[in-house]
Each structure stands twice: as C-alpha cells, then as structure tokens.
Amino acid sequence: MTEPMAVQAETDTLCEARKVSHEFRLPNGQMLPVLEDIDLTIRPNEVVALLGPSGCGKSTLMRVLAGLIAPTGGQVLYHDEPMPGLNPGVAIVFQSFALYPWMTVAENVATVLAARGIPGDDIPARVDHAVRRVGLGGFEDAYPRELSGGMKQRVGMARALSVDPELLFMDEPFSQVDALTAESLRAEVIDIWSAKDHHLSSILMVSHDIKEVAYMADRIVVLGANPGVVRTIVENKLPRPRDYRSPEILRLVDQLHDIITGSEMPDVAAPTVSTGLDVIEPVPDAPPGEIVGLLEYLDARGGSDELFRIVSDTRKEFGRVITVVKAAEMLDFVDTPKRMVLLEPEGHRFLKAGTPETRKAIWRERLLKLRLFSELSGVIQRQGREGVDSGFVMETLALSLPDENLERTFATIIEWGRFGDLFEYDEVHELLTPPE
Ligand code: ADP
Ligand code: MG
C-alpha cells in the first residue's frame, strides 16, 4: 500500500552543490578564495565523506550545503529547489560536542526540539527515544561534565537525531574522542543509519582520517587545497559491516593515501594564505554601557591612562576592567601599549558623534569588522522575518568557541548587536531578526 508513495517521494538527489565557489572577504579588503567550482551531489541512502588536508575548505563546503553560509558563486539545491536559507533537512553533529554545560543530557536534547518548534507534549517521548538510540538510557539526568568525551558526542548525536533529519552532517565528529571510542561510535552511527525506523536518508561527514572514511563512506570526495577543489571521487562499494584490518580496506586506504600525497605534494610548496582568522575571537563579556563608560573616562583624562590608575579610580575589580578594555580594543576603540590604555581615532569618533544614531552606526560598523558578527548578520539577513533561533546561534558559537561560556557569550552578543541595531532579538520566541 505504501510502496507507490515511497517510490514517488524518492528523488535522485537530496542536496546538490552546483558550481559552488566561495570567497571570504578579509578585514584588509582582500578576497580569499576557499572553494572553486564544486559540483557535488548527495543522493538518498548513502554516506558521503569529504576528505582533505586541514584548511582545504571541508567545513566551509559543509556549511554551504547546510545553508549556514551563502556561497559567493554557484547554487545549492535541496530536493532540486534552490535553498533560500538554512537547509531544512539537515541536522549537524559538531566536533566540539556543542553541549550546554548547565543542562542535563535530557535538557540538552529537549532544547533543540523546542527550538525547532516541536510541541512541548511531544518532547519527552522524543528525547527518550533519541537518548536510547545512542545508548545513553539511564544518563538522562547527568550533566556534560559527568560524561566522557565519547558520551558527550553521543549526546551530540542524540540532539541531531532527535529532530529526525533527512540528512545528518558530521564535521570531524570523532576527532576529540580516543581511538577505541571513535571505532565503536563509527560502527554505531552506521547501525543507526542502516536501521529503517526514521527519516534519516544520507550522511555527509567531514574527515581528515583516511581509515575513518574507508570504514564509513560509500563515496569519498577528495578535496585539494588553495582553493578547495574536488580532486576526485572514490566509490567504496565494500560490503558492511567492514573491518578496519581487512585487506580490501587496507588497499583502499593505500589508494586514498596515494591520491592525497600525489596530488597535494605540489601544493605544499605553494604559498599558503595565512589569514589568522581560523579562530573566531571570543567576545569579552562587557556590556556596551561599560565600554562607553571607559571611553568617556579616557576622554576626560586627555585620551589615555595607565591600566592600574583606571582600576583604582573606577573602584572596579581588576579582571572586570581588563575585560572591558579588551572589548574596547577588539572594537578598535582603544589601544593598549605596555600598561597604558589609549583612545584610538575610532574611539574619538564614537564619542564625538553628534547623535545617538551616529553612535549606533559607528558601533555597527565596528561589529561588522568582527567575523562573528558579520557572519551572524549575514545569516540573519538571509532568514529575514522568519528569524534565526537562539539554539542555532548557540550551536554555531559552540562550534567556534568550544571553551567559552556559551550562555554568557550569547547574552553579550545580543547586547552588542542590539546596541548597534545590527539585529533585533525577541526573547519570548528566542528569535534574532533583521532590524526594522
Ligand atoms: P577545513 O575544514 O578543510 O579545515 P575550512 O573550511 O575551515 O577548512 O577553511 C578553509 C579556509 O578558509 C581556511 O584558510 C580558513 O582560514 C578560511 N576561512 C574559513 N572561514 C573563514 C571566514 N569566515 N573568514 C575568512 N576566512 C575563513
Ligand atoms: Mg574543518
């Protein structure tokens, strides 16, 4: 009875990159080409791996396919339709686990379901199901700090699977867990994917581990660097379950190894573009009011003062002053040679602005120089009135700033963004939208 329906619903491609190129604009205005002319199709019921050296653009390509980044060239299609924003079929498992430390396992899963608009009554059952599926039954009330790396990544998987995605994206998901745990997690992911009790159709994984992709993938997309291009796609038709030590796998590993070294060696000599931007800078948790206060203080003292003087004059805790100074420096409002804090031209310009609107505009300009805010603003613009939910921002933050206190960082980002009218935040629906 369901047969004809199922056949009808099936398309040949789930997700497709067509002639996708991407360039990042660097702060000095230069463009950094990262992806060039990428054609890639993800079909139903397959595991596709992106394999390539660090920095070749694997994560960028995955983010483009997920709709987190709009490519500067080419198109991304989901079920043959252009994607206006986030890819609705995708859930992502992050390398950094991206768990909220103040929430239990169950709460970590529930919050993602709530963010996706799942009715509250349905959430407990879905949490329960997802937690069991990844083998964490009994750990519902544990906190992330009580879990091993492997168990944390199981929570990450439960979160992604709980929304019953059609596509599961995993960005180097096992690189933070020990080798033995990684082996069993890989096998479990394949088991979960093979089971037919869900909508999960295909997996896209990023890896720089040849053995891992030989074990997991049906197709291995080998990328070359500077800029990222598809070197070749290797089909892997070995039957499952696979054995890391089987001669067939070892032969495939050798073959992939030859492709990578053979094709990458010439590139190693080529100058690698160092952007210094691989890491997003953490946002110091300083409210805009305190940053403005510091600028006004400096202005009143002729434009500069010694750090220790500021601490004693303002009767603030030393750490607090440092945080505010760091924030002002990040925004290019001050410079900090030796133990001095100097008002920079941008700081003067901000203070001398005639109207609150001009101040907002300068603040916004400074924010957009920061990669975190410019990327976030891009995503918010693309989503338009539909908005970007806070859970999504938290996940992205956790991906880039795994060591920071996510809740505090998020709150600061909201304050800074609102202060410059970069976006609006609706606390009730936890949605970020473009300014009116
Ligand atoms: P991989 O995942 O293969 O290690 P990435 O996709 O993370 O590679 O990065 C590819 C290149 O793009 C790197 O040189 C990186 O520094 C650069 N890059 C990534 N994101 C940005 C960004 N937002 N702005 C500028 N450069 C970026
Ligand atoms: Mg990466």
Side-chain angles (χ1 to χ4, degrees):
M1 183 55 220
T2 50
E3 280 280 293
M5 285 283 294
V7 171
Q8 250 182 15
E10 222 155 273
T11 54
D12 286 344
T13 70
L14 293 182
C15 186
E16 186 183 351
R18 265 194 209 159
K19 297 261 164 291
V20 161
S21 302
H22 193 67
E23 297 189 339
F24 285 111
R25 179 183 290 280
L26 303 178
N28 63 9
Q30 255 186 355
M31 301 305 283
L32 173 70
V34 171
L35 298 174
E36 196 171 85
D37 242 357
I38 306 265
D39 283 319
L40 177 66
T41 303
I42 304 174
R43 305 191 195 106
N45 302 311
E46 64 169 352
V47 178
V48 177
L50 304 178
L51 177 70
S54 179
C56 74
K58 303 181 294 295
S59 295
T60 304
L61 179 55
M62 176 172 276
R63 297 168 119 207
V64 164
L65 290 167
L68 293 167
I69 299 179
T72 48
Q75 239 191 339
V76 178
L77 305 179
Y78 175 65
H79 285 280
D80 302 322
E81 301 285 339
M83 246 168 28
L86 301 178
N87 188 326
V90 168
I92 308 182
V93 177
F94 297 103
Q95 174 179 26
S96 57
F97 315 134
L99 303 181
Y100 306 118
W102 63 93
M103 288 185 187
T104 64
V105 167
E107 287 164 353
N108 262 290
V109 179
T111 185
V112 170
L113 288 167
R116 289 261 179 146
I118 306 293
D121 288 352
D122 298 347
I123 290 180
R126 289 184 68 157
V127 169
D128 193 57
H129 181 69
V131 166
R132 279 169 200 285
R133 205 151 113 200
V134 299
L136 280 180
F139 287 92
E140 290 83 353
D141 298 326
Y143 285 91
R145 64 169 180 277
E146 301 169 311
L147 305 177
S148 66
M151 287 163 92
K152 283 185 198 158
Q153 195 49 297
R154 284 173 199 273
V155 184
M157 280 158 44
R159 276 209 310 201
L161 293 169
S162 71
V163 303
D164 200 12
E166 185 175 35
L167 281 156
L168 184 65
F169 281 12
M170 303 195 294
D171 193 344
E172 311 214 15
F174 312 124
S175 58
Q176 309 257 345
V177 301
D178 65 274
L180 276 180
T181 306
E183 279 197 19
S184 56
L185 284 173
R186 288 181 201 125
E188 284 175 52
V189 167
I190 294 299
D191 282 349
I192 288 171
W193 165 73
S194 323
K196 285 288 158 244
D197 60 345
H198 48 60
H199 290 104
L200 177 61
S201 178
S202 295
I203 294 179
L204 176 70
M205 57 183 294
V206 163
S207 182
H208 60 247
D209 181 334
I210 298 182
K211 251 181 37 199
E212 175 167 286
V213 304
Y215 177 81
M216 292 190 77
D218 297 302
R219 284 196 302 139
I220 298 152
V221 181
V222 183
L223 298 174
N226 296 326
V229 290
V230 175
R231 294 264 189 215
T232 182
I233 298 181
V234 179
E235 300 271 344
N236 179 4
K237 294 200 187 325
L238 296 176
R240 295 190 171 93
R242 294 175 183 163
D243 174 357
Y244 292 95
R245 287 124 205 128
S246 72
E248 294 82 7
I249 289 263
L250 294 176
R251 209 171 306 129
L252 178 60
V253 166
D254 278 347
Q255 186 197 344
L256 290 167
H257 198 262
D258 286 349
I259 293 172
I260 289 184
T261 49
S263 57
E264 291 309 321
M265 283 318 262
D267 278 356
V268 174
T272 46
V273 189
S274 167
T275 61
L277 276 181
D278 295 14
V279 184
I280 284 185
E281 276 192 73
V283 180
D285 110 68
E290 284 190 45
I291 298 172
V292 178
L294 171 74
L295 303 184
E296 283 168 350
Y297 171 96
L298 290 170
D299 193 40
R301 285 184 176 49
S304 70
D305 205 353
E306 228 214 332
L307 188 57
F308 295 104
R309 273 273 306 273
I310 303 177
V311 174
S312 65
D313 284 5
T314 57
R315 300 168 155 274
K316 283 192 175 155
E317 195 202 323
F318 186 67
R320 196 66 218 141
V321 175
I322 295 276
T323 302
V324 176
V325 169
K326 262 202 248 164
E329 187 168 30
M330 190 168 170
L331 295 164
D332 280 337
F333 286 146
V334 303
D335 193 12
T336 54
K338 309 273 188 208
R339 284 181 201 86
M340 294 296 289
V341 184
L342 303 183
L343 206 51
E344 288 277 280
E346 279 307 309
H348 271 294
R349 197 158 81 87
F350 179 85
L351 287 175
K352 300 296 168 244
T355 65
E357 276 62 44
T358 324
R359 277 197 172 187
K360 273 182 191 296
I362 295 174
W363 183 274
R364 188 163 57 241
E365 220 173 82
R366 302 321 306 163
L367 288 185
L368 287 170
K369 297 266 182 217
L370 302 173
R371 176 168 150 196
L372 173 65
F373 285 91
S374 70
E375 283 188 7
L376 183 58
S377 164
V379 176
I380 293 170
Q381 292 297 335
R382 272 190 293 133
Q383 285 299 102
R385 298 318 307 168
E386 214 174 284
V388 174
D389 71 59
S390 64
F392 170 79
V393 178
M394 292 270 218
E395 285 188 6
T396 312
L397 280 178
L399 175 70
S400 355
L401 303 169
D403 302 326
E404 295 299 308
N405 177 331
L406 287 182
E407 198 178 42
R408 205 169 346 131
T409 303
F410 181 77
T412 307
I413 288 170
I414 296 295
E415 276 188 89
W416 286 23
R418 278 176 164 172
F419 193 73
D421 273 347
L422 189 61
F423 49 73
E424 284 172 14
Y425 182 58
D426 169 350
E427 260 136 17
V428 178
H429 302 97
E430 300 195 2
L431 276 183
L432 291 89
T433 50
E436 283 296 328

